[in-house]
Amino acid sequence: EVVLTQSPGTLSLSPGERATLSCRASRTVITDYLAWYQQKPGQAPRLLIYDASRRATGIPDRFSGSGSGADFTLTISRLEPEDFAVYYCQQYGSSPGTFGQGTKLEI
Amino acid sequence: EVQLLESGGGLVQPGGSLRLSCAASGFIFKNYAMNWVRQAPGKGLEWVSGLSHTGGSTYYADSVKGRFTISRDNSKNTLYLEMNSLRVEDTAVYYCAKDRRVYEPYYFDYWGQGALVTVSS
């Protein structure tokens, strides 16, 4: 199975700053089938990005995804207080689909 | 508005069984694959099982294959997960997740709030 490694494990930033989260795959993600999810404490995950760079419905444009092959990035251009959460990447190009271990974005 | 409501979680002894249900509304249930994803306490997300739109094709993680059975009733807009031979390591919040496609697991655009399953003696 494809192993996804997210870095850093924890990212400490302030509101208004730019956040860059990384997701690296153990081998090429087929067709760049990679998604990003946000999860806040006690809540279900929420889809942010799919197909590496397409924003899901209702997601603010400060969230953007980029990358291809085995290296992907989620960027939050200007952090809002509600953006502090855990972020997971998921590949769905190979079966079984797999998740990264998560990056915690903290104030 | 898409809603997914899980039920059936609880405390069960190792070796026991439990059935989770997920009642769906706000979309045409029979047109989409569905999945179960779990999260152990303080841990990350793990895809558990998926099911095509008709229920004709099923998919399982190696960790649950042979012990869990996924199914659906499109007349009731409900997804199920039958869990047998439960182990302590199956303890987790189990999320029902709507797939974006029809057949094999893809990405998940809507999630339920989760059902807690605790396996302990």
Side-chain angles (χ1 to χ4, degrees):
Chain A
E1 68 180 40
V2 176
V3 177
L4 299 179
T5 301
Q6 293 186 240
S7 61
T10 302
L11 184 58
S12 300
L13 293 170
S14 299
E17 291 190 297
R18 180 185 186 90
T20 303
L21 286 66
S22 173
C23 177
R24 178 163 291 179
S26 58
R27 61 177 188 263
T28 295
V29 175
I30 294 172
T31 326
D32 294 338
Y33 278 170
L34 189 109
W36 290 93
Y37 300 87
Q38 176 193 68
Q39 187 179 34
K40 297 179 180 179
Q43 296 186 18
R46 177 174 73 144
L47 175 68
L48 299 175
I49 301 287
Y50 64 96
D51 293 353
S53 61
R54 298 178 183 272
R55 266 190 303 276
T57 304
I59 301 304
D61 61 7
R62 65 180 181 272
F63 290 91
S64 63
S66 62
S68 64
D71 284 297
F72 298 88
T73 299
L74 174 70
T75 301
I76 311 172
S77 59
R78 288 179 312 281
L79 286 166
E80 297 287 342
E82 62 267 27
D83 297 337
F84 292 91
V86 179
Y87 292 84
Y88 294 95
C89 58
Q90 177 221 1
Q91 69 81 24
Y92 46 97
S94 301
S95 181
T98 49
F99 290 91
Q101 84 279 16
T103 289
K104 182 180 181 180
L105 178 56
E106 64 176 24
I107 300 178
Chain B
E1 179 192 5
V2 172
Q3 290 194 330
L4 299 169
L5 185 61
E6 300 95 338
S7 61
L11 174 64
V12 61
Q13 292 188 336
S17 300
L18 211 57
R19 186 173 89 152
L20 301 181
S21 300
C22 171
S25 61
F27 66 102
I28 303 174
F29 183 72
K30 65 181 181 180
N31 284 359
Y32 294 94
M34 295 294 295
N35 297 267
W36 290 97
V37 179
R38 69 184 180 184
Q39 186 170 38
K43 302 297 184 183
L45 301 170
E46 178 190 16
W47 173 81
V48 172
S49 182
L51 183 67
S52 62
H53 69 307
T54 62
S57 296
T58 57
Y59 308 87
Y60 297 96
D62 286 345
S63 57
V64 307
K65 201 172 293 182
R67 300 187 298 121
F68 289 12
T69 302
I70 190 172
S71 62
R72 66 193 294 163
D73 186 336
N74 285 346
S75 69
K76 296 181 178 179
N77 289 354
T78 302
L79 176 73
Y80 303 99
L81 185 68
E82 186 77 38
M83 302 182 292
N84 297 317
S85 302
L86 282 162
R87 304 167 180 168
V88 171
E89 55 265 34
D90 294 319
T91 295
V93 173
Y94 285 73
Y95 293 104
C96 167
K98 173 186 171 292
D99 209 290
R100 193 61 186 92
R101 264 194 330 200
V102 176
Y103 295 108
E104 63 270 22
Y106 200 48
Y107 65 87
F108 316 128
D109 54 358
Y110 292 95
W111 299 60
Q113 281 306 301
L116 176 61
V117 173
T118 303
V119 184
S120 174
S121 54

